[in-house]
Amino acid sequence: MDFTFDSEQNDLREAVRGLLDRAYGDSEQRRRVTAIDPGFDEKTWSRLAEMGLLGLPFAEEHGGMGAGPFEVAIVAEEIGRVLAPEPYVEAVVLAGGLVAAAGTDAQRAEVLAGIAEGTTLAAAAHAEPGTRWSPSAAAVTATQDGGAWTLTGVKEPVLNGARADVLVVSARLTGDGGPGGTALFLVRGDAAGLSRTGYRTHDGGRAATVRFDGAPAELLGEDAADRTAEIERVLATARIAYAHEAIGSMDTALRTTAEYLKTRKQFGVTLNRFQALTFRAADMYVSLELARSTALWASMVADAGGDVVSAADRARLQTSRAGRHIGKEAIQLHGGIGVTAEYTVGHHTSRLTAIDHVLGDGDWALSRLAADVIGHETVDPLGAPYTG
Amino acid sequence: MRLQLSPELEAFREEMRTFFTTQVSREIRDTIAARRDLSKEQYVEAMRTLNAAGLAVPHWPVEWGGRGWTPLQMHIWREEMQLACVPEPLPFNASMIGPVIAAFGDQEQKERFLPRTANIDIWWCQGFSEPDAGSDLASLRTTAVRDGDDWVVNGQKTWTTLGQHADWIFCLVRTDPTAEKKQRGISLLVFPMDSAGVTLRPIQLIDGGHEVNEVFFEDVRVPAENLIGEENRGWDYAKFLLGNERVGIARIGSSKRLLAQAKAYAQEVTVGGRPLAEEPRMADRIAELENELLALELTALRVVAHSADGKPHPASSVLKLRGSELQQDITELVVDIAGPLSLSSFADGGSEVPDWARVATPEYLNYRKVSIYGGSNEVQRTIIAGTILGL
């Protein structure tokens, strides 16, 4: 049991922090970048690629760095710390992760190398209107005619769906005698029968309505197999990465709030003279540290090859509760300025709210954990490897 | 970053688990599992069993029975003990006065007290709080005035836990009423509870039990050699002692055990023919507490891994704060699982109500104390806001 990062990991953190501080140390820069499409800075994205960060979790033979969950966690946390709008978890961990999980060697070599180099922006098209946080697809269907696959239906919201060069799409397999279930497909941005309508999300990002009308698609993997279990695992990996991004954001929100309490004066004294406020800040610290411990542990479980789905649910629940608590209190302790777009703290609350709803919120994770709560006597975090 | 324990620590954990589950009397562990009070004899027997195996005071200096363990080993020792329903070594002996004498006492005091303290030949009690000195402990008013070779003690202490069993008391007394800072005029005296002029009065608590006491001192004569450390440095020793008290106060192992028991209770009680545990709101509540407890345990592991230099990690205040809240939440959960059965607290042999439901409410009421003692949770928030956040 060891909760410390090694020196290479600390160096990585320093390097990422340096790069992102140059880009977004001035929060006005983030406002300028997110005001125009694609909602992030292509130059910063290229610099992340040059540093090798966009290929961190992919195997070296596929153009990646072969790094583990801790390195991804470090990048995600630094992204969250300055609210960098670059879609790291979305494009690398989620979309890239689906290709890595289901693709053939040739598909991995092509798509993952493109993601790692920063030349291919991949987006996961998985969510469907009217359902939530399912590992399988229902409304978008895949049909095979001869050797060719086509997709029909609507995915929304697809994060970065309008800008993406390639979409990684989950679709329900139809057709008599087929395996059924959900398969994964690649759809190129210029595919016929594909229409995309992009819009802003409340946290400064971009999403899209993506319609497939018999759009040609390339099956990921050799066979049309049910990929639900692989999708569940990749979603879990992304939930853990989001937990770290949320930790970075919460950490900044708390530090910004504490600084404000020390400088802002009312009634002739600084706000930190009011115990009603300092106690609430102390409770925010408690929430943050408990969530941080859980996120770090979930990455350890992933690293050790344990039950990543259950560990991700636990991290999701803890960071969801903490994100809401810290996000709301950060604004309240600031007062009116916390609600303004000119000031950073409200943007953290917006981002934390978005993270909370992309891949499952706290109550959703809780109900999954509750379904199995009688199945074990206690949770042993040192279990090797942890099994839910 | 690594999830698993090293093979050496895994073996250590197994050794602890085996010892606690096989060498400590079944009857004592059953009493803890049933959440009933131990008798004095049971406390003494359990601590002597541990002491004989070198497991009563592992955190003391090695020459006085310590083991030189790492903080992580200490954590494992404590957790396994709690999970096995083994009563922890009496805190007044093992965590409070023992380490203070070992650190600040003179050689004669160490030889005189430490072996007997580790073996609970002396049962110690704590004379800190006073009616007008609770969280503001430094405003205490009990005095000790030098008279020849003795100190003469007058005043009153309160909340003296298990004082009815105690042989000796360690007591903060004001020895310099003229000191500019009230913290600077306090000394630490130890003396037998059967000294002339000591009177103990039980305080009955809302759970119906007798756990704490008031202690009155009227011209109690204490020999000068019973002053621990230096005169007027008692406040430093008290802070040292209370810092030790906070370690392990989260009682995570005990909470895990009680939550596991609560799951079993919730399967015994049925609602509309189905186990209460299957009701979604109940299952959610248990699962949420289990996750909170996991987060706390992981935070404790982070803290112990980073406190190797002997100073408590500032986040240890988080452990006290959340540890006490979760202990309270889980005892509350058990009362709610018991439902109407929770009213039968004092039912006797003829009752149909299971034992766990009878003890539920007294324990819940008793556990309101845990967010108050050891530095109230408001004191912990003050520490977090001041020391960690700089507010």
Side-chain angles (χ1 to χ4, degrees), chain A residues 166-250:
Chain A
V166 61
L167 297 165
V168 185
V169 190
S170 59
R172 182 164 58 86
L173 294 170
T174 59
D176 296 337
T182 298
L184 289 165
F185 297 86
L186 294 175
V187 175
R188 311 286 158 177
D190 57 2
L194 172 70
S195 62
R196 303 184 281 180
T197 312
Y199 48 84
R200 280 178 58 104
T201 52
H202 61 79
D203 60 334
R206 296 294 185 277
T209 316
V210 177
R211 293 175 201 282
F212 304 92
D213 184 11
E218 176 184 338
L219 179 71
L220 271 174
E222 299 288 354
D223 305 309
D226 180 25
R227 299 291 188 180
T228 305
E230 284 99 326
I231 294 169
E232 183 74 283
R233 282 186 62 83
V234 174
L235 291 172
T237 307
R239 283 178 194 120
I240 295 171
Y242 271 138
H244 288 283
E245 184 177 334
I247 295 296
S249 177
M250 287 187 258

Coordinates of all heavy atoms in Angstrom, one line a residue, chain A residues 166-250:
Chain A
V166 N -13.3 11.6 -36.2 CA -13.9 10.2 -36.3 C -14.8 10.0 -35.0 O -14.5 10.5 -33.9 CB -12.8 9.1 -36.4 CG1 -11.9 9.2 -35.2 CG2 -13.4 7.7 -36.5
L167 N -15.9 9.4 -35.3 CA -16.8 9.0 -34.2 C -16.7 7.6 -33.9 O -16.7 6.7 -34.8 CB -18.3 9.4 -34.6 CG -18.6 10.8 -34.9 CD1 -19.9 11.0 -35.6 CD2 -18.6 11.7 -33.6
V168 N -16.7 7.3 -32.6 CA -16.7 5.9 -32.1 C -18.1 5.7 -31.6 O -18.5 6.2 -30.6 CB -15.7 5.6 -31.0 CG1 -15.7 4.2 -30.6 CG2 -14.3 6.1 -31.4
V169 N -18.9 4.9 -32.4 CA -20.3 4.8 -32.2 C -20.7 3.4 -31.6 O -20.3 2.4 -32.2 CB -21.1 5.1 -33.5 CG1 -22.6 5.3 -33.2 CG2 -20.5 6.3 -34.2
S170 N -21.6 3.4 -30.6 CA -22.2 2.2 -30.1 C -23.5 2.0 -30.8 O -24.2 3.0 -31.0 CB -22.3 2.2 -28.6 OG -23.2 3.3 -28.3
A171 N -23.8 0.8 -31.3 CA -25.1 0.6 -32.0 C -25.6 -0.8 -31.7 O -24.8 -1.8 -31.5 CB -24.9 0.8 -33.5
R172 N -26.9 -0.9 -31.7 CA -27.6 -2.2 -31.4 C -27.5 -3.0 -32.6 O -27.9 -2.6 -33.7 CB -29.0 -1.9 -30.9 CG -29.8 -3.2 -30.6 CD -31.0 -2.8 -29.8 NE -31.9 -1.9 -30.5 CZ -32.8 -2.3 -31.4 NH1 -33.0 -3.6 -31.7 NH2 -33.6 -1.4 -32.0
L173 N -27.1 -4.3 -32.5 CA -27.1 -5.2 -33.6 C -28.5 -5.7 -33.9 O -29.2 -6.2 -33.0 CB -26.1 -6.3 -33.3 CG -24.6 -6.0 -33.2 CD1 -23.9 -7.1 -32.7 CD2 -24.1 -5.5 -34.5
T174 N -28.9 -5.5 -35.2 CA -30.2 -6.1 -35.6 C -30.0 -7.2 -36.5 O -28.9 -7.6 -36.8 CB -31.0 -5.0 -36.3 OG1 -30.3 -4.5 -37.4 CG2 -31.3 -3.8 -35.3
G175 N -31.1 -7.8 -36.9 CA -31.0 -8.9 -37.9 C -31.2 -10.2 -37.3 O -30.7 -10.4 -36.2
D176 N -32.0 -11.1 -37.9 CA -32.3 -12.4 -37.4 C -31.0 -13.2 -37.3 O -30.2 -13.2 -38.2 CB -33.3 -13.1 -38.2 CG -34.6 -12.3 -38.2 OD1 -34.8 -11.5 -37.2 OD2 -35.4 -12.4 -39.1
G177 N -30.9 -14.0 -36.3 CA -29.8 -15.0 -36.2 C -28.5 -14.4 -35.8 O -27.5 -15.0 -35.6
G178 N -28.4 -13.0 -35.7 CA -27.2 -12.3 -35.3 C -26.9 -12.5 -33.8 O -27.8 -13.1 -33.1
P179 N -25.8 -12.0 -33.3 CA -25.5 -12.2 -31.9 C -26.3 -11.3 -31.0 O -26.4 -11.5 -29.8 CB -24.0 -11.8 -31.9 CG -23.8 -10.9 -33.0 CD -24.7 -11.3 -34.1
G180 N -26.9 -10.2 -31.6 CA -27.6 -9.2 -30.8 C -26.6 -8.4 -29.9 O -25.4 -8.6 -30.1
G181 N -27.1 -7.6 -29.1 CA -26.2 -6.8 -28.2 C -25.7 -5.6 -28.9 O -26.3 -5.1 -29.9
T182 N -24.7 -5.0 -28.3 CA -24.2 -3.7 -28.8 C -22.8 -3.9 -29.3 O -21.9 -4.5 -28.7 CB -24.1 -2.7 -27.6 OG1 -25.5 -2.5 -27.1 CG2 -23.6 -1.4 -28.0
A183 N -22.6 -3.4 -30.6 CA -21.3 -3.4 -31.2 C -20.7 -2.0 -31.3 O -21.5 -1.0 -31.1 CB -21.3 -4.1 -32.5
L184 N -19.5 -1.9 -31.6 CA -18.8 -0.5 -31.7 C -18.4 -0.3 -33.2 O -17.9 -1.3 -33.8 CB -17.6 -0.4 -30.8 CG -18.0 -0.3 -29.3 CD1 -16.8 -0.6 -28.4 CD2 -18.6 1.0 -29.0
F185 N -18.5 0.9 -33.6 CA -18.2 1.2 -35.0 C -17.4 2.5 -35.1 O -17.5 3.4 -34.2 CB -19.5 1.4 -35.8 CG -20.3 0.1 -35.9 CD1 -21.2 -0.2 -34.9 CD2 -20.2 -0.8 -36.9 CE1 -22.0 -1.3 -34.9 CE2 -20.9 -2.0 -37.0 CZ -21.8 -2.2 -36.0
L186 N -16.7 2.6 -36.2 CA -16.1 3.9 -36.5 C -16.9 4.6 -37.7 O -17.2 3.9 -38.6 CB -14.6 3.7 -37.0 CG -13.6 3.2 -36.0 CD1 -12.3 2.9 -36.7 CD2 -13.4 4.2 -34.9
V187 N -17.2 5.8 -37.5 CA -17.8 6.6 -38.6 C -17.0 7.8 -38.8 O -16.7 8.6 -37.9 CB -19.2 7.0 -38.2 CG1 -19.9 7.9 -39.3 CG2 -20.1 5.7 -38.0
R188 N -16.5 8.0 -40.1 CA -15.7 9.2 -40.4 C -16.5 10.4 -40.4 O -17.7 10.4 -40.8 CB -15.0 8.9 -41.8 CG -14.3 7.6 -41.9 CD -13.0 7.5 -41.1 NE -12.6 6.1 -40.9 CZ -11.5 5.7 -40.3 NH1 -10.7 6.6 -39.8 NH2 -11.3 4.4 -40.2
G189 N -15.9 11.5 -40.1 CA -16.6 12.8 -40.1 C -17.2 13.2 -41.4 O -18.2 13.9 -41.4
D190 N -16.7 12.7 -42.5 CA -17.3 13.0 -43.8 C -18.2 12.0 -44.4 O -18.5 12.0 -45.6 CB -16.1 13.4 -44.8 CG -15.2 12.2 -45.0 OD1 -15.4 11.1 -44.3 OD2 -14.1 12.3 -45.7
A191 N -18.6 11.0 -43.6 CA -19.4 9.9 -44.1 C -20.8 10.4 -44.6 O -21.3 11.4 -44.1 CB -19.7 8.9 -42.9
A192 N -21.2 9.7 -45.7 CA -22.6 10.0 -46.2 C -23.6 9.6 -45.1 O -23.3 8.7 -44.3 CB -22.8 9.3 -47.5
G193 N -24.7 10.3 -45.1 CA -25.8 9.9 -44.2 C -25.5 10.3 -42.7 O -26.2 9.9 -41.8
L194 N -24.5 11.1 -42.5 CA -24.1 11.6 -41.2 C -24.4 13.1 -41.1 O -23.9 13.8 -42.0 CB -22.7 11.4 -40.9 CG -22.1 12.0 -39.6 CD1 -22.7 11.3 -38.4 CD2 -20.6 11.9 -39.6
S195 N -25.2 13.5 -40.2 CA -25.4 15.0 -40.0 C -25.2 15.3 -38.5 O -25.6 14.6 -37.6 CB -26.8 15.4 -40.5 OG -27.8 14.8 -39.7
R196 N -24.5 16.4 -38.3 CA -24.1 16.8 -37.0 C -24.5 18.3 -36.7 O -24.2 19.1 -37.5 CB -22.6 16.6 -36.8 CG -22.2 15.2 -37.1 CD -20.7 15.0 -36.8 NE -19.8 15.6 -37.9 CZ -18.5 15.5 -37.9 NH1 -17.9 15.0 -36.8 NH2 -17.8 16.0 -38.9
T197 N -25.1 18.5 -35.6 CA -25.4 19.9 -35.2 C -24.8 20.2 -33.9 O -25.2 19.6 -32.9 CB -26.9 20.1 -35.1 OG1 -27.5 19.6 -36.3 CG2 -27.3 21.6 -35.0
G198 N -23.8 21.1 -33.9 CA -23.1 21.3 -32.6 C -23.7 22.5 -31.8 O -24.4 23.3 -32.4
Y199 N -23.4 22.5 -30.5 CA -23.8 23.6 -29.7 C -22.9 23.6 -28.5 O -22.2 22.7 -28.2 CB -25.3 23.4 -29.3 CG -25.7 22.0 -28.7 CD1 -25.5 21.7 -27.4 CD2 -26.3 21.1 -29.6 CE1 -25.8 20.4 -26.9 CE2 -26.6 19.8 -29.1 CZ -26.4 19.5 -27.8 OH -26.7 18.3 -27.3
R200 N -23.0 24.7 -27.7 CA -22.2 24.9 -26.5 C -22.9 24.1 -25.4 O -24.1 24.0 -25.3 CB -22.2 26.4 -26.1 CG -21.3 27.3 -26.8 CD -21.5 28.7 -26.3 NE -21.3 28.8 -24.9 CZ -20.2 29.3 -24.3 NH1 -19.2 29.8 -25.0 NH2 -20.0 29.3 -23.0
T201 N -22.0 23.7 -24.5 CA -22.5 23.1 -23.2 C -22.3 24.2 -22.1 O -21.5 25.1 -22.3 CB -21.8 21.8 -22.8 OG1 -20.4 22.0 -22.9 CG2 -22.2 20.7 -23.8
H202 N -23.0 24.0 -21.0 CA -22.9 25.1 -20.0 C -21.5 25.3 -19.4 O -21.2 26.3 -18.8 CB -23.9 24.8 -18.8 CG -23.7 23.5 -18.1 ND1 -22.7 23.4 -17.1 CD2 -24.2 22.3 -18.2 CE1 -22.7 22.1 -16.7 NE2 -23.6 21.4 -17.3
D203 N -20.7 24.3 -19.5 CA -19.3 24.4 -18.9 C -18.3 24.9 -19.9 O -17.1 24.8 -19.6 CB -18.9 23.0 -18.3 CG -18.9 21.9 -19.4 OD1 -19.6 22.1 -20.4 OD2 -18.1 20.9 -19.3
G204 N -18.7 25.4 -21.0 CA -17.8 26.0 -22.0 C -17.4 25.0 -23.0 O -16.7 25.3 -24.0
G205 N -17.8 23.7 -22.9 CA -17.5 22.7 -23.9 C -18.4 22.7 -25.1 O -19.2 23.7 -25.3
R206 N -18.3 21.7 -25.9 CA -19.2 21.6 -27.1 C -19.8 20.2 -27.1 O -19.1 19.2 -26.7 CB -18.4 21.8 -28.4 CG -17.8 23.2 -28.5 CD -18.9 24.2 -28.7 NE -18.4 25.6 -29.0 CZ -17.9 26.4 -28.0 NH1 -17.9 26.0 -26.7 NH2 -17.4 27.6 -28.4
A207 N -21.0 20.1 -27.6 CA -21.7 18.8 -27.8 C -22.4 18.9 -29.1 O -22.5 20.0 -29.7 CB -22.6 18.5 -26.7
A208 N -23.0 17.8 -29.6 CA -23.7 17.8 -30.8 C -24.8 16.8 -30.8 O -24.8 15.8 -30.1 CB -22.7 17.5 -32.0
T209 N -25.8 17.1 -31.7 CA -26.8 16.1 -32.1 C -26.2 15.4 -33.3 O -25.8 16.0 -34.2 CB -28.1 16.8 -32.5 OG1 -28.5 17.8 -31.6 CG2 -29.2 15.7 -32.7
V210 N -26.1 14.1 -33.2 CA -25.5 13.3 -34.3 C -26.5 12.4 -34.9 O -27.0 11.5 -34.2 CB -24.2 12.6 -33.9 CG1 -23.6 11.8 -35.1 CG2 -23.2 13.6 -33.4
R211 N -26.9 12.6 -36.2 CA -27.9 11.7 -36.8 C -27.3 10.8 -37.8 O -26.4 11.3 -38.6 CB -29.0 12.6 -37.5 CG -29.8 13.4 -36.6 CD -30.8 14.3 -37.4 NE -31.2 15.4 -36.5 CZ -32.1 15.3 -35.6 NH1 -32.8 14.1 -35.5 NH2 -32.4 16.3 -34.8
F212 N -27.6 9.6 -37.7 CA -27.1 8.6 -38.7 C -28.3 8.2 -39.6 O -29.4 7.7 -39.0 CB -26.5 7.4 -38.0 CG -25.4 7.7 -37.1 CD1 -25.7 7.9 -35.7 CD2 -24.1 7.8 -37.5 CE1 -24.7 8.2 -34.9 CE2 -23.1 8.1 -36.6 CZ -23.4 8.3 -35.3
D213 N -28.2 8.3 -40.8 CA -29.3 7.9 -41.7 C -28.7 7.0 -42.8 O -28.4 7.4 -43.9 CB -29.9 9.2 -42.4 CG -31.1 8.8 -43.2 OD1 -31.6 7.7 -43.1 OD2 -31.6 9.7 -44.0
G214 N -28.6 5.7 -42.3 CA -27.9 4.7 -43.2 C -26.5 5.1 -43.4 O -25.9 4.8 -44.5
A215 N -25.8 5.7 -42.4 CA -24.4 6.1 -42.6 C -23.5 4.9 -42.6 O -23.6 4.0 -41.8 CB -24.0 7.0 -41.5
P216 N -22.6 4.9 -43.6 CA -21.6 3.7 -43.7 C -20.7 3.8 -42.4 O -20.3 4.8 -42.0 CB -20.8 4.0 -44.9 CG -21.1 5.4 -45.3 CD -22.4 5.8 -44.7
A217 N -20.5 2.6 -41.9 CA -19.7 2.5 -40.7 C -18.7 1.3 -40.7 O -19.0 0.3 -41.5 CB -20.6 2.3 -39.5
E218 N -17.6 1.4 -40.0 CA -16.6 0.4 -40.0 C -16.7 -0.3 -38.7 O -16.6 0.3 -37.6 CB -15.2 1.0 -40.2 CG -14.1 0.0 -40.1 CD -12.7 0.6 -40.2 OE1 -12.6 1.8 -40.8 OE2 -11.8 0.1 -39.7
L219 N -17.0 -1.6 -38.7 CA -17.1 -2.4 -37.4 C -15.7 -2.4 -36.7 O -14.7 -2.6 -37.3 CB -17.5 -3.8 -37.8 CG -17.6 -4.8 -36.6 CD1 -18.8 -4.4 -35.7 CD2 -17.7 -6.2 -37.0
L220 N -15.7 -2.1 -35.4 CA -14.5 -2.2 -34.6 C -14.4 -3.7 -34.2 O -15.3 -4.3 -33.6 CB -14.6 -1.4 -33.4 CG -14.1 0.1 -33.5 CD1 -14.4 0.9 -32.2 CD2 -12.6 0.2 -33.9
G221 N -13.2 -4.3 -34.5 CA -13.0 -5.7 -34.2 C -13.3 -6.5 -35.4 O -13.8 -6.1 -36.5
E222 N -13.0 -7.8 -35.3 CA -13.1 -8.7 -36.5 C -14.6 -9.1 -36.7 O -15.1 -9.2 -37.8 CB -12.3 -10.0 -36.2 CG -10.8 -9.9 -36.1 CD -10.1 -9.5 -37.4 OE1 -10.8 -9.5 -38.5 OE2 -8.9 -9.2 -37.4
D223 N -15.3 -9.4 -35.5 CA -16.6 -10.0 -35.6 C -17.6 -9.0 -35.0 O -17.3 -8.2 -34.1 CB -16.7 -11.3 -34.9 CG -15.6 -12.3 -35.4 OD1 -15.5 -12.4 -36.6 OD2 -14.8 -12.8 -34.6
A224 N -18.9 -9.2 -35.4 CA -19.9 -8.4 -34.8 C -20.3 -9.0 -33.5 O -21.4 -9.7 -33.4 CB -21.1 -8.4 -35.8
A225 N -19.5 -8.8 -32.5 CA -19.8 -9.4 -31.1 C -20.4 -8.4 -30.2 O -20.3 -7.2 -30.5 CB -18.5 -9.9 -30.5
D226 N -21.0 -8.8 -29.2 CA -21.6 -7.9 -28.2 C -20.5 -7.3 -27.4 O -19.7 -8.1 -26.7 CB -22.6 -8.6 -27.3 CG -23.2 -7.7 -26.2 OD1 -23.2 -6.5 -26.5 OD2 -23.6 -8.2 -25.2
R227 N -20.3 -6.0 -27.4 CA -19.2 -5.3 -26.7 C -19.6 -4.7 -25.4 O -18.9 -3.8 -24.9 CB -18.6 -4.3 -27.6 CG -18.1 -4.8 -28.9 CD -16.8 -5.6 -28.6 NE -16.2 -6.0 -29.9 CZ -15.1 -6.7 -29.9 NH1 -14.5 -7.1 -28.8 NH2 -14.5 -7.0 -31.1
T228 N -20.8 -5.0 -24.9 CA -21.3 -4.3 -23.7 C -20.3 -4.4 -22.5 O -20.1 -3.4 -21.8 CB -22.6 -4.9 -23.2 OG1 -23.6 -4.9 -24.3 CG2 -23.3 -4.2 -22.1
A229 N -19.7 -5.5 -22.3 CA -18.8 -5.6 -21.2 C -17.5 -4.8 -21.4 O -17.1 -4.1 -20.4 CB -18.3 -7.1 -21.0
E230 N -17.0 -4.7 -22.6 CA -15.9 -3.8 -22.9 C -16.3 -2.4 -22.7 O -15.5 -1.6 -22.1 CB -15.4 -4.0 -24.3 CG -14.5 -5.3 -24.5 CD -15.4 -6.4 -25.1 OE1 -16.6 -6.5 -24.8 OE2 -14.8 -7.2 -25.9
I231 N -17.5 -2.0 -23.2 CA -17.9 -0.6 -23.0 C -18.0 -0.3 -21.5 O -17.6 0.8 -21.1 CB -19.3 -0.4 -23.7 CG1 -19.1 -0.6 -25.2 CG2 -19.8 1.0 -23.4 CD1 -20.5 -0.6 -26.0
E232 N -18.6 -1.2 -20.8 CA -18.7 -1.0 -19.3 C -17.3 -0.7 -18.7 O -17.2 0.2 -17.8 CB -19.4 -2.2 -18.7 CG -19.6 -2.0 -17.2 CD -20.8 -1.1 -16.8 OE1 -20.6 0.1 -16.9 OE2 -21.9 -1.6 -16.5
R233 N -16.3 -1.4 -19.1 CA -15.0 -1.3 -18.5 C -14.4 0.0 -18.9 O -13.7 0.7 -18.1 CB -14.1 -2.4 -19.0 CG -14.3 -3.7 -18.2 CD -13.3 -4.8 -18.5 NE -11.9 -4.3 -18.2 CZ -11.4 -4.5 -17.0 NH1 -12.1 -5.0 -16.0 NH2 -10.2 -4.0 -16.8
V234 N -14.6 0.4 -20.2 CA -14.0 1.7 -20.7 C -14.7 2.9 -20.0 O -14.1 3.8 -19.6 CB -14.1 1.8 -22.2 CG1 -13.6 3.2 -22.7 CG2 -13.2 0.7 -22.9
L235 N -16.0 2.7 -19.8 CA -16.8 3.8 -19.1 C -16.2 3.9 -17.7 O -16.1 5.0 -17.2 CB -18.3 3.5 -19.1 CG -19.0 3.6 -20.4 CD1 -20.4 3.1 -20.3 CD2 -19.0 5.0 -20.9
A236 N -15.9 2.8 -17.1 CA -15.4 2.8 -15.7 C -14.0 3.5 -15.7 O -13.8 4.3 -14.8 CB -15.3 1.4 -15.2
T237 N -13.2 3.2 -16.6 CA -11.9 3.8 -16.7 C -12.0 5.4 -16.9 O -11.3 6.1 -16.2 CB -11.1 3.3 -17.9 OG1 -11.1 1.8 -17.7 CG2 -9.7 3.8 -17.9
A238 N -13.0 5.8 -17.7 CA -13.2 7.2 -17.9 C -13.8 7.8 -16.6 O -13.5 9.0 -16.3 CB -14.2 7.4 -19.1
R239 N -14.7 7.1 -15.9 CA -15.2 7.6 -14.7 C -14.1 7.9 -13.7 O -14.1 8.9 -12.9 CB -16.2 6.6 -14.0 CG -17.6 6.6 -14.7 CD -18.5 5.6 -14.1 NE -19.6 5.4 -15.1 CZ -20.0 4.3 -15.7 NH1 -19.3 3.2 -15.4 NH2 -21.0 4.3 -16.6
I240 N -13.1 7.0 -13.6 CA -12.0 7.2 -12.7 C -11.2 8.4 -13.1 O -10.8 9.3 -12.3 CB -11.1 6.0 -12.6 CG1 -11.9 4.8 -12.0 CG2 -9.9 6.2 -11.8 CD1 -11.3 3.4 -12.1
A241 N -10.9 8.6 -14.4 CA -10.2 9.7 -14.9 C -11.0 11.0 -14.6 O -10.4 12.0 -14.2 CB -10.0 9.6 -16.4
Y242 N -12.3 11.0 -14.8 CA -13.1 12.2 -14.5 C -13.0 12.5 -13.0 O -13.1 13.6 -12.5 CB -14.6 11.9 -14.8 CG -14.9 12.4 -16.3 CD1 -15.8 11.6 -17.0 CD2 -14.5 13.6 -16.8 CE1 -16.1 11.9 -18.3 CE2 -14.9 14.0 -18.1 CZ -15.7 13.1 -18.8 OH -16.0 13.5 -20.1
A243 N -12.9 11.4 -12.2 CA -12.8 11.6 -10.7 C -11.6 12.5 -10.4 O -11.6 13.4 -9.6 CB -12.8 10.3 -10.0
H244 N -10.5 12.2 -11.1 CA -9.3 12.9 -10.9 C -9.4 14.4 -11.5 O -8.9 15.3 -10.9 CB -8.1 12.2 -11.6 CG -7.7 11.0 -10.8 ND1 -7.0 11.1 -9.6 CD2 -8.0 9.7 -11.0 CE1 -6.8 9.8 -9.1 NE2 -7.4 9.0 -10.0
E245 N -10.1 14.5 -12.6 CA -10.3 15.8 -13.2 C -11.1 16.7 -12.1 O -10.8 17.8 -11.9 CB -11.0 15.8 -14.5 CG -11.1 17.2 -15.1 CD -11.8 17.2 -16.5 OE1 -11.7 16.2 -17.2 OE2 -12.4 18.3 -16.9
A246 N -12.1 16.0 -11.6 CA -13.0 16.7 -10.6 C -12.1 17.1 -9.3 O -12.3 18.2 -8.8 CB -14.1 15.8 -10.2
I247 N -11.2 16.2 -8.9 CA -10.4 16.5 -7.8 C -9.5 17.8 -8.0 O -9.5 18.7 -7.2 CB -9.4 15.3 -7.4 CG1 -10.2 14.1 -7.0 CG2 -8.4 15.7 -6.4 CD1 -11.0 14.2 -5.7
G248 N -9.0 17.9 -9.2 CA -8.2 19.1 -9.6 C -9.1 20.3 -9.5 O -8.6 21.3 -9.0
S249 N -10.3 20.2 -10.0 CA -11.2 21.3 -10.0 C -11.6 21.7 -8.6 O -11.6 22.9 -8.2 CB -12.4 21.0 -10.9 OG -13.3 22.1 -10.9
M250 N -11.9 20.7 -7.8 CA -12.4 21.0 -6.4 C -11.2 21.6 -5.6 O -11.5 22.5 -4.8 CB -12.8 19.7 -5.8 CG -14.1 19.2 -6.2 SD -14.6 17.7 -5.2 CE -14.2 16.4 -6.3

